[in-house]
Amino acid sequence: MEHVDRCVVLVDAGYLLGAAASLLAGEPARSRITVDHAALIHGLRERAEADTERPLLRIYWFDGAPDRVPQPEHRRLRVMPRVTVRLGALTRSDGRWAQKGVDAAMHAELTELARNRACSDIVLVTGDGDLLPGLMSAKEHGVAVHLWAVQAADGDYNQSEDLVAEADERRVLDRTWITQAVRAKDLGGVCAPPPAPRPEIAAILSAPLPEAALAAAGGAVDDGRAQVAEVVRNGSSAAADRAVNGAVAEPGTGVKGVPTPKDLAGLRGPVASGPTAPADRTTQTGATLRWSSDKGWIERPGGSTLGEPPETASLPTLAQLTSAEQRWADREEDITTVGGDPYEVGQVFARRWMERLPDPAHVQKLSSMYPRIPHRIDGELLRYAARFGLLAHKDDQIDEHDRYAIRAGFWREIDVRAAAEGAPARE
């Protein structure tokens, strides 16, 4: 029986994206890059058909996932035409994540395709020397094996030397090809804008501290205020981070950290303005600032901090506004079109919430509560964001900077709608 004249592509996603991150961002962490998966799959198919001069049968995408549970990118990939996703386990050991079972799955697929004469050419995008026996077996069954490498950051090989030597054909996916679908996040890639300085946090830290807190924090508070002043003067992101992370010391330890909502419950003061304040968000001098996501700390007029104010309790959640049919459509949209960038996730959630509101006045009501998102809606927003793989695996919490980006996207959409409906401009 002769081989069918078509090609198959086997992609080791850990290798492809890790090597791309090394090339574009200087380190193999996939969190440093953003990937247009549709463009990447299109590029792989086009290149494979051109190199092998055979039509594509299928692209197999091999990757690791915690407990083999598909992540958002895997859900998007597996509904694309001619793409099959195979998942191995992703385990954490000594503080590092490692794939398990991916190379074995690739080996099994490689040998099975060759033995069943399902194709005449196989393209391997990998650097793992463990695939050498499978590569040799495929050749013995009469399959031409094409080995593709990602251009190495240091100009050297990033593949097993034995694998390179045994392949029938070799190609290098260079920087120009890679950047058609992959960008470094810190180099202007297709991702959310970098986190802006956070004027609401700077304002909280610059507000007068209660006497007890002043006595406990000591000189660290003065240092923090100086850093906040630097934020207000020049809009420096680095200064903003120093202000947030170093302005308040934990009593008795000298260790500086971010104050909690409970620590800040008595603080008041003007909001930072000037170059650090977003153009569409300014809060009146003397306003009380609230920590967005804390469930227990909610300030009512008159100083009460218990329970939820009636004005926020009347706002419906997205779940209450969503029918079963809409929930299914939302899921399909999340899989196929939502990229999972934190800023974009916040925008998508806000758009859905506003589009389904029976009373447009709710938008103006919520807009007046900036910067605090009512905790029921905020909790729902963060749970929605968690579907996109934004959890920090070490503690199953969303990274602090991602939380700010999620909420920034949410507020941006609220502002756009409020402005369109003629909300009075803030002064």
Side-chain angles (χ1 to χ4, degrees):
M1 186 175 75
E2 294 185 359
H3 290 91
V4 178
D5 286 338
R6 53 194 179 188
C7 67
V8 171
V9 182
L10 305 183
V11 180
D12 179 349
Y15 166 76
L16 173 59
L17 300 182
S22 293
L23 178 64
L24 303 181
E27 59 179 277
R30 288 162 63 171
S31 61
R32 294 291 306 277
I33 56 174
T34 181
V35 182
D36 181 340
H37 289 91
L40 182 57
I41 293 299
H42 175 76
L44 289 168
R45 177 172 187 167
E46 191 176 63
R47 182 70 178 264
E49 291 183 334
D51 276 11
T52 65
E53 299 180 345
R54 301 285 188 269
L56 178 78
L57 169 62
R58 190 172 298 114
I59 294 175
Y60 288 89
W61 185 272
F62 296 86
D63 202 2
D67 298 322
R68 289 187 168 85
V69 176
Q71 299 301 294
E73 66 181 273
H74 304 137
R75 295 198 297 270
R76 288 191 293 275
L77 283 163
R78 67 185 183 181
V79 296
M80 293 181 184
R82 304 277 180 155
V83 176
T84 295
V85 175
R86 296 281 189 258
L87 294 179
L90 192 63
T91 59
R92 191 174 181 86
S93 177
D94 297 328
R96 300 182 64 182
W97 289 93
Q99 295 182 157
K100 288 191 178 296
V102 172
D103 54 348
M106 287 190 71
H107 179 277
E109 199 72 57
L110 174 60
T111 54
E112 193 71 11
L113 287 166
R115 185 164 48 246
N116 290 331
R117 300 180 179 271
C119 57
S120 58
D121 296 74
I122 291 179
V123 175
L124 286 177
V125 186
T126 185
D128 193 344
D130 290 344
L131 283 176
L132 182 61
L135 186 154
M136 297 173 67
S137 174
K139 290 174 62 177
E140 290 168 359
H141 282 88
V143 173
V145 180
H146 305 249
L147 183 65
W148 289 1
V150 175
Q151 179 182 339
D154 56 6
D156 200 357
Y157 284 122
N158 51 15
Q159 294 175 300
S160 160
E161 184 177 341
D162 290 336
L163 206 62
V164 172
E166 194 66 31
D168 293 307
E169 302 284 348
R170 289 169 287 278
R171 294 286 185 272
V172 175
L173 304 177
D174 61 16
R175 180 185 293 268
T176 301
W177 191 92
I178 291 293
T179 53
Q180 293 175 11
V182 183
R183 297 287 188 275
K185 285 186 177 179
D186 55 348
L187 298 177
V190 185
C191 59
R198 303 186 283 274
E200 61 269 26
I201 303 301
I204 288 176
L205 294 173
S206 64
L209 282 169
E211 291 184 5
L214 279 170
V221 174
D222 293 331
D223 294 340
R225 289 176 181 161
Q227 293 165 356
V228 169
E230 182 183 350
V231 175
V232 175
R233 282 197 305 271
N234 58 32
S236 163
S237 295
D241 287 338
R242 288 197 300 273
V244 171
N245 293 319
V248 176
E250 296 178 8
T253 66
V255 178
K256 298 177 181 180
V258 179
T260 67
K262 184 176 180 181
D263 297 333
L264 300 170
L267 304 188
R268 293 178 181 272
V271 175
S273 59
T276 63
D280 53 355
R281 284 287 173 196
T282 54
T283 309
Q284 294 181 353
T285 300
T288 299
L289 295 171
R290 304 169 178 86
W291 199 278
S292 296
S293 66
D294 187 73
K295 185 173 180 179
W297 179 55
I298 304 168
E299 182 170 353
R300 285 181 172 177
S304 172
T305 59
L306 300 175
E308 184 172 7
E311 62 270 21
T312 64
S314 66
L315 292 175
T317 63
L318 180 60
Q320 292 170 334
L321 299 170
T322 302
S323 66
E325 293 78 9
Q326 287 173 324
R327 191 171 295 111
W328 176 262
D330 290 348
R331 178 180 175 275
E332 291 300 303
E333 181 184 8
D334 290 343
I335 291 172
T336 58
T337 63
V338 181
D341 176 88
Y343 191 88
E344 179 191 10
V345 166
Q347 289 180 300
V348 170
F349 182 94
R351 282 198 296 269
R352 289 176 183 167
W353 185 77
M354 290 186 292
E355 287 168 357
R356 296 167 191 173
L357 283 173
D359 184 359
H362 285 311
V363 176
Q364 305 297 340
K365 182 183 295 185
L366 178 61
S367 182
S368 68
M369 297 175 188
Y370 177 83
R372 180 186 169 272
I373 303 174
H375 74 78
R376 289 180 304 113
I377 296 175
D378 189 66
E380 189 179 39
L381 169 62
L382 296 181
R383 286 193 297 275
Y384 171 67
R387 301 178 194 172
F388 292 88
L390 293 172
L391 294 179
H393 295 298
K394 62 180 181 179
D395 53 7
D396 289 333
Q397 297 293 320
I398 296 177
D399 177 79
E400 179 187 9
H401 290 91
D402 285 346
R403 290 200 304 271
Y404 280 109
I406 292 163
R407 293 177 184 130
F410 177 90
W411 280 120
R412 177 60 181 169
E413 290 301 304
I414 297 295
D415 272 342
V416 169
R417 176 66 65 87
E421 294 177 355
R426 296 188 183 86
E427 299 179 356

